[in-house]
Each structure stands twice: as structure tokens, then as C-alpha cells.
């Protein structure tokens, strides 16, 4: 199965594996599953590294983030293409819960367009299931 990982799940894989549920750990450990991350998530990690010093003990440069994702974790980085942006443009936003994070919306659109289950810990993602999101909650 192809699985798209939200930014938080990638972080948990890198530095807080105990925050992964048993079910999600099993999915991530199954060698039959192919793991993917949106280029938007990688951008979020790079921004957090630059602004907040996230992962300074793990990575020396921004390029180390990319190398770890691809080489150490064997996660493929998916580019953002026009069809993802078109899905994003059609997405109804979860305004009732104040879910205004454009990076989350791009990642959700990526999952919907690619017809991949999205693994995240964000409970606001449930809202997008009727719009075609296949959501696996890490809880």
C-alpha cells in the first residue's frame, strides 16, 4: 500500500517514535508499504530548521533533512504538480475548527489527488474525509 505521511509523522519517525501508535508503527514497519511525503512537508521541516532550530542536533544542513528522509527513512518525496493545486483550489476548508494552515491543505490535496491514505495526528483532518481524504489517525 502507498502511504502519505504528514509532517508530524516524519518528525516522530526521526526523533519521537514512541508517539507513533501501535497500528501506525505496524504500517510504517511493513516493507510491503511504500512511504511518501509531500514536498510541502519537506519545506515545512526546512522552515522549522531555519527559524526554530528544529533538529539542529540531528542535521547540520537543510540538505541533511532531505538526505535523511530519502536515504535513511526510505521515504519518497512527491513533487507538487498542477493537479494537486487544482484539488487544493476545490477543497472546502474546515473553518469551524479554525483549520487555516495552507501547508496542511496542500498535503491533504496531495493525498486526495494521489488516492493515498494520509497518516497524521491532526484530528482536524477528519473534516476532509467526505471530500475524498483517506485518513489514518495516529492516536
Amino acid at each position: 500500500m502507498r502511504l502519505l505521511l504528514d509532517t508530524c509523522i516524519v518528525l516522530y519517525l526521526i526523533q519521537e517514535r514512541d508517539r507513533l501508535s501501535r497500528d501506525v508503527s505496524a504500517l510504517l514497519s511493513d516493507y510491503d508499504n511504500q512511504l511518501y511525503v509531500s514536498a510541502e512537508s519537506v519545506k515545512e521541516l526546512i522552515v522549522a530548521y531555519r527559524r526554530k532550530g528544529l533538529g539542529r542536533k540531528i542535521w547540520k544542513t537543510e540538505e541533511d533533512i532531505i538526505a535523511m528522509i530519502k536515504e535513511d527513512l526510505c521515504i519518497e518525496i512527491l513533487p507538487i504538480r498542477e493537479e494537486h493545486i487544482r484539488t487544493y483550489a476545490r477543497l472546502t476548508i474546515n473553518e469551524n475548527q479554525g483549520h487555516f494552515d495552507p501547508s496542511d491543505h496542500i498535503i491533504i490535496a496531495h493525498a486526495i489527488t494521489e488516492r493515498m491514505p494520509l497518516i497524521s495526528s491532526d484530528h482536524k483532518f477528519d473534516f476532509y474525509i467526505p471530500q475524498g481524504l483517506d485518513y489514518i489517525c495516529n492516536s
Side-chain angles (χ1 to χ4, degrees):
M1 175 177 11
R2 297 177 335 133
L3 301 167
L4 186 64
L5 309 182
D6 191 18
T7 312
C8 63
I9 301 301
V10 175
L11 278 173
Y12 297 162
L13 272 171
I14 293 168
Q15 55 188 13
E16 297 182 83
R17 287 187 182 250
D18 58 325
R19 295 193 64 180
L20 296 170
S21 71
R22 184 178 307 144
D23 291 340
V24 168
S25 288
L27 285 171
L28 300 178
S29 299
D30 185 342
Y31 289 108
D32 289 332
N33 291 333
Q34 298 167 305
L35 306 180
Y36 296 87
V37 66
S38 172
E40 185 69 18
S41 289
V42 178
K43 182 204 83 173
E44 282 189 303
L45 291 170
I46 291 169
V47 168
Y49 175 86
R50 288 178 176 168
R51 288 191 183 159
K52 302 175 188 171
L54 176 78
R56 291 274 179 195
K57 294 179 181 177
I58 301 168
W59 306 304
K60 292 188 187 327
T61 69
E62 293 88 337
E63 289 184 3
D64 291 344
I65 298 169
I66 298 166
M68 177 176 271
I69 289 168
K70 291 184 64 88
E71 296 162 19
D72 297 345
L73 299 175
C74 299
I75 299 172
E76 185 174 334
I77 300 170
L78 293 178
I80 298 168
R81 297 187 311 271
E82 180 180 339
E83 55 263 35
H84 304 121
I85 300 302
R86 289 186 180 279
T87 301
Y88 171 68
R90 290 188 300 269
L91 204 61
T92 301
I93 303 305
N94 184 358
E95 294 178 3
N96 290 338
Q97 291 182 306
H99 189 224
F100 298 108
D101 184 340
S103 289
D104 282 352
H105 301 148
I106 289 290
I107 294 164
I108 290 165
H110 216 149
I112 292 170
T113 304
E114 297 293 330
R115 294 183 173 86
M116 270 192 240
L118 174 61
I119 302 176
S120 180
S121 294
D122 194 329
H123 294 284
K124 293 177 184 173
F125 286 17
D126 285 335
F127 176 86
Y128 302 94
I129 293 171
Q131 297 182 63
L133 180 64
D134 184 356
Y135 176 55
I136 298 171
C137 185
N138 177 57
S139 55

